[in-house]
Amino acid sequence: MTTQRRILMIPGPVEISPAVASAYAGPPEGHLAPDLIEAFGASLEMMRRIWLAPPGAQPFLFAGSGTNAMEMAVANLIEPADAVIVVNTGYFSDRMVEMLRRAGAEIVELTAVPGEVPNASRAEGAIADLKRAGKRVKALFATHVDTSTGALCDPKPLAAIAQAEGVLSVFDGVCATAGERFEMETWGADVYLTASQKAIGLPPGLALMVVSERALAARDARKTPPPLAADWRSWIPVMQAYEARTPAYFATPPTNLVLALRAGLAEILNQGMEACFTRHERGAAALRAAWSALGLRAVPARERNAAHTLSALYFPSGLDATLVLRIAERGVYVAGGLHPAIRGQYFRVGHMGYVLTRADMLMRTVEAIGAALTASGHAVDTERAVRAMLAELQTAAI
Ligand code: PMP
């Protein structure tokens, strides 16, 4: 089994498609080369379609990771003493809180136990309370999928509440964008940000986000500008130039990643967004059938709160994080726990993007987990789990 290539089943970085790999591995490209300009411009256009963004929204792509994208949103929107609401679903929401704290925001956090998601109506209540206290609420922040628990938050009601209250809505889609349904225009969301190494299907290294006109206006209404390299205004001329297929420079983009991005985004759009969301839903359902056959319980107690891009699974009683190593010995890399409250009690399996087209990789994952459980003294029927997964995949025909 270990003679096969190891496969990367952590919740990002993920396995990438052959088309993305070959675009990435081509000869180095200059940032003003015609093909790079074309790839950059086409990627921005495709982002608009993948985000289902309104016409006036501005896409950005730049060197960095999801954390840089989060920081850019905070740097442009938040000024000291701004009141903000954070729907906190775990480790990455905590990170957003820390960024907001450093920006001087007055933060109201809505919390829930790991795996649960605060009810959207609590956001409405929190905004009303702040308004009664005479505060102007600037923005609401939420993590679409919190990768530390596998909890899926529904952005739709949150975006609607924010819009009705004149509050900006910012969604961290790092473990969700192109894997979970998000309709920026119809839902009225203001910022949706991600990184390249998850459901976008690239290696790490690019931060991506689309920003509404309302959010850009909030940046322009600031008393002081954001740090230069984080400022949307520094980047807008470059994004506009590339989209118009003309050369521009503010800071050097990771050129081969941009070539890979064009290939990756085209693969997503060739499927179509509906098919892309459905593929993730069906892939998750197939793997859930396998987890249930292996007797594994998910961290999100309710299936409607469970992400389609990753599974967070408790170790069966008596087992611990050495299970992750035993799975790795079988050529499949999964991730350990991350949420501080339950860190040693669970592990995480990513299932987004290219791997969903590879039933063989999904099978190897279930086989490796089943074999590792059995080798750890927790005997399971791995074949039954694989059959349960394949049966779901066949009905779903992903
Ligand atoms: N937000 C979420 C939901 C994430 O899953 C991650 C990364 N796992 C981040 C933010 C941070 O992204 P990065 O590691 O690319 O900086």
Side-chain angles (χ1 to χ4, degrees):
M1 201 184 288
T2 40
T3 53
Q4 286 175 298
R5 179 172 79 78
R6 59 115 186 100
I7 51 175
L8 195 53
M9 297 298 293
I10 62 175
V14 298
E15 288 288 330
I16 60 175
S17 76
V20 168
S22 80
Y24 186 50
E29 190 73 272
H31 60 291
L32 305 179
D35 190 43
L36 193 277
I37 294 172
E38 174 54 36
F40 206 125
S43 295
L44 293 169
E45 284 167 3
M46 289 189 280
M47 281 174 67
R48 295 179 183 281
R49 294 167 59 202
I50 291 170
W51 266 243
L52 299 167
Q58 178 61 55
F60 294 87
L61 69 91
F62 56 100
S65 74
T67 305
N68 299 104
M70 294 164 72
E71 199 128 69
M72 184 183 257
V74 173
N76 280 271
L77 295 178
I78 304 306
E79 293 176 279
D82 279 346
V84 299
I85 312 280
V86 176
V87 179
N88 190 327
T89 44
Y91 182 93
F92 291 102
S93 307
D94 285 345
R95 176 170 294 186
M96 191 62 101
V97 167
E98 178 58 16
M99 288 177 175
L100 290 163
R101 194 186 63 74
R102 291 184 186 203
E106 183 176 320
I107 306 161
V108 174
E109 275 183 78
L110 309 176
T111 55
V113 298
E116 294 280 336
V117 177
N119 198 299
S121 63
R122 287 174 57 195
E124 211 162 16
I127 294 171
D129 288 347
L130 282 164
K131 284 189 170 172
R132 258 195 302 278
K135 312 260 191 239
R136 215 192 134 266
V137 187
K138 185 76 163 286
L140 176 151
F141 291 80
T143 313
H144 194 176
V145 166
D146 201 298
T147 325
S148 68
T149 61
L152 171 67
C153 170
D154 184 359
K156 185 178 176 180
L158 292 172
I161 290 165
Q163 198 167 44
E165 300 286 345
V167 169
L168 296 165
S169 59
V170 179
F171 296 97
D172 169 355
V174 174
C175 200
T177 308
E180 304 283 359
R181 176 176 299 280
F182 192 89
E183 302 178 23
M184 186 169 178
E185 179 171 19
T186 50
W187 296 355
D190 290 293
V191 178
Y192 193 43
L193 61 89
T194 192
S196 51
Q197 76 274 17
K198 307 232 182 196
I200 296 289
L202 257 67
L206 281 176
L208 315 170
M209 72 170 81
V210 179
V211 176
S212 74
E213 283 178 297
R214 224 159 57 110
L216 290 174
R219 145 69 188 93
D220 292 340
R222 293 175 64 89
K223 292 187 196 74
T224 54
L228 186 73
D231 188 353
W232 287 330
R233 283 287 157 208
S234 304
W235 292 95
I236 284 175
V238 179
M239 300 300 137
Q240 287 176 343
Y242 276 126
E243 227 176 328
R245 307 300 194 268
T246 53
Y249 169 74
F250 167 66
T252 310
T255 49
N256 278 38
L257 269 176
V258 176
L259 300 176
L261 185 65
R262 171 174 56 184
L265 298 183
E267 281 182 334
I268 293 168
L269 284 172
N270 286 343
Q271 278 175 73
M273 292 320 294
E274 279 309 312
C276 185
F277 300 142
T278 307
R279 176 177 281 176
H280 284 80
E281 282 164 17
R282 291 177 172 172
L287 285 167
R288 271 179 210 144
W291 310 148
S292 134
L294 293 175
L296 295 169
R297 184 166 64 87
V299 173
R302 278 184 275 250
E303 204 166 294
R304 67 181 165 81
N305 284 348
H308 303 102
T309 50
L310 83 151
S311 297
L313 303 163
Y314 284 112
F315 298 123
S317 71
L319 299 193
D320 61 20
T322 54
L323 183 73
V324 172
L325 304 176
R326 293 215 158 108
I327 298 167
E329 282 162 10
R330 289 160 174 83
V332 175
Y333 287 156
V334 300
L338 186 58
H339 193 293
I342 53 169
R343 182 169 283 147
Q345 301 170 29
Y346 73 111
F347 67 109
R348 297 170 302 144
V349 183
H351 34 86
M352 49 195 134
Y354 172 66
V355 78
L356 295 173
T357 66
R358 293 286 302 263
D360 60 326
M361 288 188 177
L362 300 179
M363 270 173 70
R364 273 184 66 195
T365 302
V366 173
E367 280 165 1
I369 294 174
L373 284 167
T374 300
S376 308
H378 187 86
V380 289
D381 187 344
T382 302
E383 276 177 30
R384 189 167 77 85
V386 171
R387 278 198 308 275
M389 183 197 73
L390 290 177
E392 274 291 328
L393 279 184
Q394 268 144 20
T395 13
I398 64 170

